Amino acid sequence: MGDTLRKIILCVLGAVAVVLSGCSNDETFAFTPTDSVATPRVVPGGSSVAFHYVRNSGTATWKRYEVRLAILWQEEGGNGGILELEKETKPGELARFIGYLAGPAQPGLHTLRGRLEVKELPFGDPVELKIEVTCSDGVFCNGEERFADGKCVPAAAPSCDDSTACTVDTCDEKAKSCQHTATGECAACLAGPTCTPDCTGKACGDDGCGSECGVCASGQACAQAIFQCKPETQAGTCRSPLALLAEGVPLIGDRTIEGNTSDGIHQVVPSCNRTSTAVESVYTFTTTQRLGLEARVSGYDTVLHLRKKRTGDGAADCLDDAAAKTIACSDDSSPPGDYGSRITVALDPGTYYLIVDGFDAAQFGAFSLKVRFAAEGCVPKCDGVYCGGSDGCGGNCGVCDDGQACVRGRCLPSPCTPACDGKECGDDGCGGQCGSCPGEKLCVLATGLCQSFPACDHMKPSCAPGCGESEFCGTDCVCHPVAAPLPDLVVDAKRLKDEILFDNVYVTENSCARVEECVTGTGNRRVLRFSVEAINQGFATMTVPPPADRPDLFTFSPCHGHFHFSGFASYALLDTQGKTVLNGRKQAYCMEDTQRVVDGPSVQCSKEFNCDNQGIQRGWSDLYGNTLDCQWLDITDVPPGQYQIQVTLNPSRALQELTLDNNTAAVPVTIPPP
């Protein structure tokens, strides 16, 4: 071995290689991995340009043809290769390596390993590269290309053609989205092949075909649950609110109010569910001292919000839907669970309006409203706890009914006999489990039996047996016709940008946010809230099997008391260079129709899906408002500055879509000092 080669080897030390000429201690080769700007595409079984980025974190300037990235592709059908440094890169600069790679025939997201080399000597730890093996050319408006019959073939029609003669279809390549503008008689939804309005016995309200049965006279509004016009001054409205408590009854303590919104009218929109058209009941109370309030309402899918009298016209303040005028708002909380809602807030002296509302127009009926007022502004802290324990204000978090006992914060029958006959797994009805499933088997709650489910690698899907002629293997490991109409999820970037707010939440060990790992600590946490609206702009409904049949696709939330679809979306905070600062930890997603966002004869008038039957219809969206639990990023330890919020729908690829190219949106955000 010559002296020169020996000197080179001695200069390569672990993750850093010093400059080769003279081994100066002042110049070193080192790099920092970065989040790649985009995932390179490689044609199945072919060769395409690929690239990768890292940051030069050493002190030496990288020169072309001296520094390179050697690809060590270990998957079957893939070949190694070299990505050359595109241009000279100084310390601190972003380096781009580019070259040709030959990929395997199987479409999907493949992971490669590579190593950086200086004059063919490796330095630093191995790097990981993501390569998308796909037929797609990345152009949205020309339709998606599929891998079928062993080759890449085009889809039958452009992406945005909805095959409806009376709509004007336009395609936005930059946003990778479609717009369908309905014209003339076509500008309404359709409740079937033909739609016959039904206004029998209805003075107002929905006719079932996207129109109204009538308009109420001045001074009246529609009681949508009974389709009749009612005075705007009837009891339970902003102009004539109900007394929360009878005259002379002190506020401090626990109170239960039974009510019913069936004959209520819709006048206000809750800030935590801006799409709600539900009828409501309005209560009022006045305090002359600083108090803490916890209010819970249950009975149907409720929304609970609180407004304050700020001027001489209290009715106008109650009717003011501006988000800034709302003191507190809740859509789903635990307790009370089962789609009930809870607010907790400290109140200054004044007059307030407590409004029992619904998630949408279909939600109304009998409800139970429980309120707890505590002295000196103490806010009860019972998140995730239904009974027992301390509320932090001298009381407990609830008392169980006769015949029940409080077990780990839940009311259960007492005495309680576990019900496990014929069950291998699942809830025993007494706070325990009937058993656990072995190995990779999962519990099917509908039967109480353990069952295996076919595994699907959604990143590199395969279909067995193979697909037929003119079919492609989808990310769901199911064969689909090349020209099949498919759903297509996109993020409403405007809503994401417009509905950002900063908040502080108090988290205990029992809080749902802590149980579901939405925060990284307890106590006061600073969170960045934002709304996410997932729009199905495709040509088919996004559906999933019920949780009882496919537990592998869902996670049961004990806190919220219902199933959540796993991996529906992912959230991240990025720096201005696109590097991930932190990942969101929201796990609770319930796919449902929130609002219709597209007009036309192929879009249904009424919602079909909810948390018990999950999915999103064509032309509808699913909205996660910024006041929901975990609809945030925990920025407690993030310094102020310029960042980006990134939202990706269907990141696990478990749902087959028209394309995955438009599932991500990112908007800028400035985090101010605390």
Side-chain angles (χ1 to χ4, degrees):
M1 182 180 294
D3 291 341
T4 301
L5 182 56
R6 185 178 297 109
K7 178 176 268 191
I8 292 174
I9 294 174
L10 290 175
C11 290
V12 180
L13 304 174
V16 176
V18 296
V19 72
L20 303 185
S21 179
C23 284
S24 168
N25 292 327
D26 296 328
E27 289 189 311
T28 58
F29 285 86
F31 69 91
T32 302
T34 65
D35 296 329
S36 187
V37 176
T39 302
R41 297 170 184 266
V42 177
V43 177
S47 181
S48 298
V49 175
F51 47 86
H52 189 71
Y53 296 84
V54 298
R55 190 170 298 281
N56 181 353
S57 58
T59 60
T61 296
W62 294 358
K63 297 180 180 179
R64 294 185 66 190
Y65 309 118
E66 285 190 357
V67 178
R68 67 182 190 178
L69 177 58
I71 303 302
L72 312 173
W73 200 325
Q74 297 176 336
E75 294 185 18
E76 183 178 353
N79 297 317
I82 299 296
L83 301 186
E84 298 287 356
L85 182 65
E86 188 173 47
K87 64 179 182 179
E88 183 176 281
T89 306
K90 296 179 180 179
E93 291 182 343
L94 198 65
R96 184 187 192 203
F97 294 89
I98 187 168
Y100 279 88
L101 287 180
Q106 183 189 21
L109 186 64
H110 295 254
T111 300
L112 293 67
R113 287 173 61 84
R115 67 186 184 193
L116 264 70
E117 297 178 349
V118 53
K119 293 190 176 180
E120 301 186 17
L121 289 174
F123 66 94
D125 296 325
V127 297
E128 193 173 86
L129 297 81
K130 300 290 186 181
I131 296 292
E132 186 76 49
V133 178
T134 177
C135 288
S136 174
D137 60 5
V139 179
F140 176 73
C141 293
N142 68 358
E144 187 72 357
E145 297 78 25
R146 305 292 185 192
F147 187 67
D149 305 324
K151 60 182 181 296
C152 290
V153 297
S159 299
C160 289
D161 184 358
D162 66 357
S163 301
T164 302
C166 60
T167 61
V168 177
D169 306 319
T170 56
C171 186
D172 184 339
E173 182 62 44
K174 182 178 180 181
K176 297 190 183 299
S177 65
C178 300
Q179 292 82 42
H180 308 287
T181 305
T183 60
E185 296 180 358
C186 172
C189 57
L190 188 67
T194 59
C195 189
T196 302
D198 181 9
C199 289
T200 305
K202 300 178 181 179
C204 60
D206 186 9
D207 68 353
C209 294
S211 298
E212 299 294 318
C213 287
V215 179
C216 295
S218 177
Q220 293 185 327
C222 189
Q224 297 170 146
I226 56 176
F227 302 101
Q228 300 298 315
C229 294
K230 293 282 188 176
E232 291 183 343
T233 55
Q234 73 172 8
T237 63
C238 282
R239 301 189 189 282
S240 183
L242 300 166
L244 183 67
L245 300 178
E247 186 176 354
V249 176
L251 287 178
I252 294 178
D254 293 334
R255 307 286 185 267
T256 300
I257 299 96
E258 303 295 338
N260 197 308
T261 54
S262 294
D263 61 352
I265 60 176
H266 167 62
Q267 288 184 296
V268 299
V269 177
S271 62
C272 55
N273 186 356
R274 305 298 296 181
T275 63
S276 175
T277 57
V279 296
E280 63 265 349
S281 288
V282 182
Y283 293 88
T284 187
F285 64 90
T286 300
T287 176
T288 57
Q289 57 182 307
R290 184 167 171 78
L291 296 176
L293 168 66
E294 181 195 64
R296 312 176 184 180
V297 63
S298 58
Y300 52 91
D301 192 347
T302 61
V303 177
L304 187 63
H305 47 130
L306 184 72
R307 297 178 180 179
K308 185 179 182 180
K309 181 179 180 182
R310 302 172 187 269
T311 67
D313 188 351
D317 295 324
C318 176
L319 290 165
D320 192 338
D321 289 335
K325 299 299 179 68
T326 296
I327 304 297
C329 190
S330 169
D331 178 13
D332 290 351
S333 192
S334 174
D338 294 327
Y339 311 114
S341 304
R342 182 180 101 261
I343 61 171
T344 56
V345 64
L347 304 175
D348 292 323
T351 296
Y352 294 86
Y353 303 96
L354 185 61
I355 305 170
V356 177
D357 219 317
F359 179 76
D360 56 34
Q363 299 300 321
F364 58 84
F367 62 83
S368 180
L369 173 63
K370 297 184 178 182
V371 295
R372 169 176 293 185
F373 289 95
E376 300 179 356
C378 183
V379 179
K381 299 178 178 64
C382 292
D383 186 12
V385 180
Y386 288 71
C387 59
S390 171
D391 68 354
C393 298
N396 58 43
C397 288
V399 178
C400 297
D401 295 334
D402 292 341
Q404 293 184 323
C406 188
V407 180
R408 294 188 293 277
R410 298 290 192 276
C411 290
L412 298 173
S414 179
C416 191
T417 302
C420 289
D421 290 346
K423 296 175 67 175
E424 299 176 330
C425 57
D427 187 2
D428 67 358
C430 296
Q433 296 292 315
C434 292
S436 58
C437 296
E440 296 183 356
K441 288 189 175 182
L442 298 173
C443 185
V444 180
L445 296 184
T447 62
L449 300 178
C450 296
Q451 185 175 334
S452 297
F453 293 88
C456 176
D457 184 347
H458 302 294
M459 296 300 166
K460 292 180 291 185
S462 60
C463 295
C467 298
E469 186 177 353
S470 298
E471 289 185 330
F472 71 96
C473 183
T475 61
D476 54 359
C477 296
V478 174
C479 294
H480 301 268
V482 167
L486 293 169
D488 186 27
L489 297 178
V490 294
V491 180
D492 186 332
K494 185 177 186 304
R495 184 183 292 276
L496 177 62
K497 182 179 179 180
D498 292 347
E499 298 187 11
I500 293 171
L501 58 89
F502 298 91
D503 193 13
N504 290 283
V505 295
Y506 187 85
V507 179
T508 68
E509 286 293 342
N510 294 313
S511 296
C512 289
R514 179 62 169 171
V515 173
E516 297 187 351
E517 300 180 344
C518 300
V519 290
T520 56
T522 57
N524 286 310
R525 310 298 299 177
R526 190 182 188 213
V527 296
L528 168 57
R529 294 182 176 273
F530 48 91
S531 298
V532 171
E533 184 171 11
I535 298 172
N536 181 5
Q537 69 167 16
F539 304 132
T541 293
M542 179 69 76
T543 58
V544 291
D549 296 333
R550 289 296 303 273
D552 55 319
L553 301 178
F554 295 86
T555 301
F556 183 77
S557 169
C559 263
H560 294 96
H562 52 257
F563 283 93
H564 296 138
F565 184 79
S566 302
F568 178 70
S570 64
Y571 306 154
L573 187 70
L574 312 179
D575 64 17
T576 55
Q577 302 299 317
K579 184 174 178 60
T580 301
V581 176
L582 61 88
N583 289 303
R585 304 174 68 85
K586 178 176 170 61
Q587 302 172 25
Y589 298 96
C590 167
M591 282 194 296
E592 63 179 317
D593 297 327
T594 301
Q595 63 177 339
R596 181 168 54 86
V597 294
V598 176
D599 290 328
S602 59
V603 180
Q604 296 296 319
C605 300
S606 304
K607 72 177 292 178
E608 177 181 352
F609 297 101
N610 54 38
C611 286
D612 295 321
N613 176 31
Q614 296 194 29
I616 308 173
Q617 293 184 86
R618 171 187 182 181
W620 283 69
S621 72
D622 185 8
L623 174 62
Y624 299 88
N626 59 16
T627 60
L628 288 173
D629 228 16
C630 298
Q631 189 59 46
W632 63 53
L633 291 165
D634 184 351
I635 59 169
T636 305
D637 302 317
V638 176
Q642 302 296 320
Y643 296 92
Q644 300 177 73
I645 301 173
Q646 178 178 277
V647 174
T648 300
L649 302 176
N650 191 22
S652 65
R653 304 189 177 191
L655 305 170
Q656 177 60 46
E657 298 187 56
L658 181 68
T659 179
L660 296 170
D661 289 346
N662 54 8
N663 286 33
T664 297
V667 300
V669 61
T670 300
I671 297 180

